[in-house]
Amino acid sequence: MRILSRRALNQFAVAHADAKGSLDAWYHEVRHAMWDSPADLRARYRSADILPGNRVVFNIKGNKYRLVVQINYAAHIVFIRFLGTHGEYNRIDAEQV
């Protein structure tokens, strides 16, 4: 999968150093994944929340942080839509960010 953009992950890791290892692991694993459907993703990430509009919510660092992405399965592209604390996530609409 192609991930747009790693810069968001790196910037977040600067502000939240404890998330760096988890974000790096997520990035490298997803970069080598080839998901053709939400079912493919679910086979690997059972705790991920699949939302309408090809959006997915990943728990990062034991659910301390939330990562919302939008996936174009046909093109194998992952767009980072939101990355924040669990509290920040509760204040957004993950289907609209």
Side-chain angles (χ1 to χ4, degrees):
M1 303 297 285
R2 192 166 137 219
I3 303 168
L4 304 177
S5 109
R6 186 167 188 189
R7 173 182 274 164
L9 301 176
N10 291 336
Q11 288 175 341
F12 190 83
V14 168
H16 303 275
D18 63 328
K20 182 173 179 18
S22 296
L23 290 172
D24 285 345
W26 178 88
Y27 176 84
H28 290 291
E29 188 168 335
V30 171
R31 194 179 89 200
H32 292 100
M34 289 304 287
W35 301 321
D36 294 314
S37 70
D40 293 342
L41 182 146
R42 176 68 79 190
R44 170 59 185 100
Y45 289 99
R46 296 196 184 280
S47 65
D49 296 322
I50 309 292
L51 303 177
N54 291 327
R55 302 222 180 196
V56 180
V57 180
F58 292 95
N59 298 320
I60 302 295
K61 188 146 174 53
N63 205 22
K64 184 174 181 180
Y65 304 109
R66 293 283 182 97
L67 171 63
V68 179
V69 302
Q70 187 171 24
I71 301 175
N72 181 325
Y73 292 98
H76 295 119
I77 298 174
V78 177
F79 300 93
I80 296 173
R81 307 300 294 173
F82 170 85
L83 177 57
T85 65
H86 194 83
E88 292 167 337
Y89 171 82
N90 288 336
R91 294 189 295 268
I92 66 158
D93 180 352
E95 294 178 23
Q96 298 298 318
V97 295

